[in-house]
Amino acid sequence: MTPAAPRIAVIGGGPGGLYAAALLKRRAPRREITLWERNAPEDTFGFGVVFSDDTLGGIETADPEVHAELRKEFVHWDHIDVVHRGRRLRSGGHGFAAVGRRTLLSVLHRRCRELGVTLRFRTEAPPAAQLAREHDLVIAADGVHSATRQAHRSHFRPSLTTHRCRYIWLAADFAFDAFRFEIAETPYGVMQLHGYPYQSGASTVIVEMREEVWRRAGLDRCDEAGTLRHCAAHFAGALQGRPLRANRSAWTAFRTVVNERWSYGRTVLLGDAAHTAHFSIGSGTKLAVEDALALAGQLDGARDVPAALAAYEAERRPVVESTQRAARASLEWFEDLADRTGQPPHRFAFNLLTRSRRVTHDNLRLRDARFVAAVEAEAGIPPGTPPMFTPFRLRGLTLRNRVVVSPMDMYSAVDGTPGDFHLVHLGARALGGAGLVMTEMVCVSAQGRITPGCAGLYTAEHEAAWRRITDFVHGRAPGTALGIQLGHSGRKGSTRLMWEGIDQPLPQGNWPLVAPSPLPYLPGVSQVPHAASAAELRDIREQFVSSARAAARAGFDLLELHCAHGYLLSSFLSPLTNHRTDAYGGDLGGRLAYPLEVFDAVRAVWPADRPMTVRISATDWADGGTTAEDALAIAGAFAAHGADAIDVSTGQVVPFERPAFGRSFQTPFAERIRLGVGVPVIAVGAISSWDDVNSLVLAGRTDLCALARPHLYDPHWTLHAAAEQGYEGVGAPWPPPYRAGSRRPPTGRG
């Protein structure tokens, strides 16, 4: 007896649902596939859809007939124009392809009918639960407002984030000759246009602005005709005085959709129902089509549907999450666009093009070397010099390049005394070419240590040991600056060495902990600290002063005050860890009082010609914690008190944090402070390549880049970065004993 044909239901007739239906039917003609779409075939929103070369390659492989039909209709272009303050800067070599959305749907409609897919337009789909009882597979491609996701939200566990800009999809009846970003600085605030051609004689035009700008401009009260007139007037130059048109267009705020699970039994989410990514880095249609390709591939030969859906999610989730991180970076860049409009024109354009952190200095240089050379010339960078190898001055100290070896706890001191390990560790990184090498957090008292293995600077023996290290660095690695980071562990102290159990209390020999408030770091696990009295706070302040004096005598070039990561001074700043009711608690001014008091006391004894920086956690990554506005105020307060730079880190303040990890994920916080406060910044956090450093510095997102793990992997990371870029200048001199190794060794020939 012949087994029954597999039955598949598709909810939603957008490109993702249609393409999934066509692919699945093409791969297995026995499948009975029915697609429900509540709208008419000709109904759609928007105008054009942009595809990447990778997506087109996947379509060509999976269904050459669809690819051939689309290829006839595609519009291709190579350039991106950035128009701001009357200047148009063009960058080439990018490669885009777009097609009209109606054209795409028409091609997919025809293909589905040719293959025998049943299309039910103007028909509401039955609930997914009902369809799952009657079908072997249910594909929910029902969009950002997915009823399927909502009906089974307890299983899919969606998270929806609404963002701060309003945007609208419009069109113009002429074709741009490039992907165009245009900035309009209006009496109401900054507006931006994203425009691209999608067919001969027509372009998509997306107008976007912050919610408050949209309201001030009265666009919240405009009808469609008024919106079209208003937008056309603000972008008359881009439109050459021509009108705009709409297509079911409405102002909306972008929503990022994330789901903990994409499948439930026989039901799977696809496209916007599962995930969204901001239009500024590509279309949701592109992601949905790629979902369909992956799903079809996993269903081929799978032992059962649940196994195929699990494999589909395992394949696609890393790709989608990476795309969403890039999209979030791009989205937030445009949300904060007004902070960047004062940048020089080429730097502004470079910043825009690299906003998602996927396009970098190096690959943009490969696409358009003349454009990147113009950006570098505007920044005063000598020809042939990578941006990372330009000098930077902090007070009386000039760093020869922009690379910082980030503070890294080594847990290898004995009673606070650094030994041979520290000499070799810090000496090796100093010989490795970085402009500034930072010590780990050096504790100002025995009670202020994190672990028994943490280094200190509170005895004469400690000072002598540090002097040995600074003498080595200054003598054998001249030109390398050595900085010390001073801190106190607060409630995060008296714990085991990292590799013995991070943040876990010592099994014996614990010392009492002090904090702003009696709140343990790990409730039920960590020791409960006592709230510091006024007398104790005076004593701790004087411990910082004593350690700073010793650091100056020991020969350090720079001092950093550690006010981040939940240690003592950091825990005064966060409302999650400071519940005091005296002058050192309450509002942000009160929470800042003690850290500023310590800063002032240290600055008073630290040599006037030597710079002093402050490391802060710019967000706690937790509800109720430090906000973006708080971070600006904190950075501004330290800058007003004499901080020469702010070292901008995030998190590690509370254990229930939820960081948004990703490439250079903390850099936007540094850029916001650099632009908003006007103080130099050090960016940290998943900066892993010399290309990242060049990109961040040239875009003006940071002044210095601090890298930790790359320097554990390779102590000579900076020198190797110079060699790999063919740079041999003063920004990265090789120590004389190492010059013979300044070129990559040859490898065997294949």
Side-chain angles (χ1 to χ4, degrees), residues 454-493:
C454 288
L457 186 45
Y458 46 87
T459 71
E461 183 183 6
H462 298 162
E463 183 179 328
W466 285 118
R467 182 83 221 191
R468 177 182 177 226
I469 294 169
T470 62
D471 284 347
F472 176 86
V473 170
H474 293 147
R476 299 310 301 259
T480 300
L482 190 62
I484 186 170
Q485 185 188 72
L486 291 182
H488 187 294
S489 61
R491 71 176 188 158
K492 295 179 77 175

Side-chain angles (χ1 to χ4, degrees), residues 16 32 35 47 53 80 104 140 372 397 413 473 624 663 701 720 746:
E32 295 180 4
L35 181 147
F47 300 93
D53 289 341
I80 296 176
L104 174 61
V372 173
L397 176 67
V473 170
R663 182 178 183 176
R701 297 191 185 114
H720 291 155

Side-chain angles (χ1 to χ4, degrees), residues 394 436 438 484 558-562 599 603 611-615 642-647 682 704:
L394 288 171
L436 173 63
M438 293 297 301
I484 186 170
L558 175 148
L559 186 149
E560 179 165 283
L561 191 65
H562 200 342
F599 178 91
R603 181 70 267 184
M612 188 169 163
T613 64
V614 179
R615 176 170 276 207
D644 297 289
I646 305 298
D647 189 354
I682 306 169
L704 300 167

Side-chain angles (χ1 to χ4, degrees), residues 41-62:
E42 65 276 8
D43 289 347
T44 185
F45 68 93
F47 300 93
V49 177
V50 180
F51 287 107
S52 68
D53 289 341
D54 283 346
T55 305
L56 294 177
I59 293 173
E60 184 175 21
T61 300

Side-chain angles (χ1 to χ4, degrees), residues 2 81 85 107 120 157 179 192 198 205 212 226 268 366 422 458 488 537 552 554 634 672 721:
T2 304
D81 286 347
R85 294 186 174 176
V107 168
R120 295 183 177 176
R157 297 181 64 83
F179 201 120
Q192 59 260 20
Y198 67 88
V205 175
E212 59 270 24
V268 64
L366 290 173
H422 295 82
Y458 46 87
H488 187 294
L537 292 177
I634 291 167
R672 194 172 294 124

